[in-house]
Amino acid sequence: MTAPQTAGRLPLVGFYLLYFGTVGITQPFLPAYLRSLALSTTEVGLLLALAPLASLIAPPLWGHLADRTGRLSHVLTLLAVGAALCFAPLLRVEHFPALLATLGAFACFASSITPMVDSLALNHVAQTGGTFSHLRLFGSLGFILSATTFGLVVRQVDRSAIIVAVTLLGALAAWSLTLRSQTPAGATPHPLAGLRLLRDNKDLRWLLAATALHWMACTPYNGMLAIHVLALGLPPSVVGLTAGLGVAAEVAAMLLYPRFAERIAPRHLLCITFVLSALRWGGMALVSSPLLLVALALLHSMTFGVFYVSSVAFMARRVPQHLRASGQGLFAAVTFGVGGLIGFASSGAGYSLLGGGHALFAVAGVLELVAAMLVLQASPARSPASQPEIIQPPPP
């Protein structure tokens, strides 16, 4: 690897490690921490719905700013600093109204970090070669390290989860200063560029309908895993091991992705992903054994690993490079915004109404099968000559 490649790669690697290290704490353990504050599962679900609610608006706006100014790295620094400052009050607040305000402010920044750093990574691959999946897997490694370590160390989920997350966010804000923009300055996309992409491209509409439904099906796992596991009388280590093993499988999928990405169209990979995810949620609807719960996490290789990289590949083939951040913002808004908002809000209430997590996971399995049928409605992928920069040889 040449010096310019290394110089651009290391800041991205560190950013992915730190940011998803934070997610490795907040995603599996924050719901249980909120539940420990004597909140109802419905209130927890509403708090978790704040992130997808922010995703409806924030990523397209930040994406437009990044595309317009060509200063994507500056936007990422602003997002990282804002997320750290807004999350810190959780060290003190405990009541629902204050938690609502704090997590709402945090979501306005954190909900846009992933699409913006992914856009920066895609631009880096376009200029220096390599593969997007091999950069993105460092985020998964960060998640594994934090989720597994924290789950094994603690005996109960308490404020220590917030302390660790605040520390990681502070480190992320500092590290973001090492990022450098890879986009040309002076681009002037239309303020509604994302909506125009959606209007003009039927394939994007089919994709986003399917990915939003898939993410709705994932919310019982993303939002209620710790609550479900602890309700079964199992220790927090099961949460950490389940999350850690799942993301380890995700890393393996991203590592191997370039080997089969050129042979199988993204829409077919997504269909396979949704079917196998249905199998995963169906299994979780039936089992209570800690060993089986952890084993089912191996299918996270498809549920998120192949799903995410294939979705990015699908988007990259159909969105012009100068609108990349806007396109990723649109993907985040519909998939994680619409899908997550409906999913998290209904998961919290559904957990109570359906009598626990088993029935909730059964519903998720059905949703995945519908998503599999929707994604096949998209037209076949473009020819290899129009391949995006998700897999790119180094320039001569």
Side-chain angles (χ1 to χ4, degrees), residues 46-59 103-104 106-108 110-112 332 336-337 340-341 344:
L46 290 174
L47 290 173
L48 296 178
L50 291 172
L53 179 62
S55 293
L56 288 171
I57 301 172
L103 289 173
F106 171 69
C108 290
S111 62
S112 301
F336 307 123
L341 179 62
F344 280 119

Side-chain angles (χ1 to χ4, degrees), residues 43 277 304 352 375:
E43 288 175 323
S277 296
F304 189 82
S352 299
V375 77

Side-chain angles (χ1 to χ4, degrees), residues 192-205 318 320 323 330 382:
L192 300 179
L195 292 178
R196 287 186 169 186
L197 286 171
L198 192 60
R199 179 197 66 188
D200 298 337
N201 195 314
K202 181 176 67 174
D203 287 348
L204 286 186
R205 296 197 294 271
R318 292 162 172 83
L323 294 177
L330 174 66
R382 296 182 181 180

Side-chain angles (χ1 to χ4, degrees), residues 22 33 40 47 65-66 77-78 91 94 129 140 142 177 187 233 236 241 246 252 276 286 323 331 345 352 361:
T22 305
Y33 169 71
S40 68
L47 290 173
L65 178 64
T77 296
L78 182 59
L91 292 168
E94 296 184 353
S140 302
L177 297 174
L241 289 171
L276 290 178
L286 298 174
L323 294 177
F331 172 70
S352 299
F361 283 115

Side-chain angles (χ1 to χ4, degrees), residues 180-258:
R180 294 292 181 270
S181 289
Q182 304 285 336
T183 52
T188 55
H190 191 276
L192 300 179
L195 292 178
R196 287 186 169 186
L197 286 171
L198 192 60
R199 179 197 66 188
D200 298 337
N201 195 314
K202 181 176 67 174
D203 287 348
L204 286 186
R205 296 197 294 271
W206 284 120
L207 169 77
L208 295 176
T211 57
L213 204 58
H214 170 69
W215 201 246
M216 285 173 58
C218 291
T219 52
Y221 174 81
N222 293 332
M224 294 291 157
L225 175 64
I227 295 173
H228 176 62
V229 167
L230 297 178
L232 293 175
L234 304 175
S237 59
V238 175
V239 180
L241 289 171
T242 299
L245 180 62
V247 183
E250 174 187 316
V251 169
M254 290 183 177
L255 194 61
L256 296 173
Y257 182 85

Side-chain angles (χ1 to χ4, degrees), residues 35 40-43 224 346-357 360:
R35 190 78 168 96
S40 68
T41 56
T42 299
E43 288 175 323
M224 294 291 157
S346 58
S347 290
Y351 185 92
S352 299
L353 292 174
L354 297 175
L360 203 58

Side-chain angles (χ1 to χ4, degrees), residues 5 18 30 123 178 216 218 223 238 272 282 291 294 302 331 345 350:
Q5 285 176 295
L18 286 169
L30 182 60
N123 291 333
T178 67
M216 285 173 58
C218 291
V238 175
I272 294 169
L291 182 61
V294 173
M302 304 300 294
F331 172 70

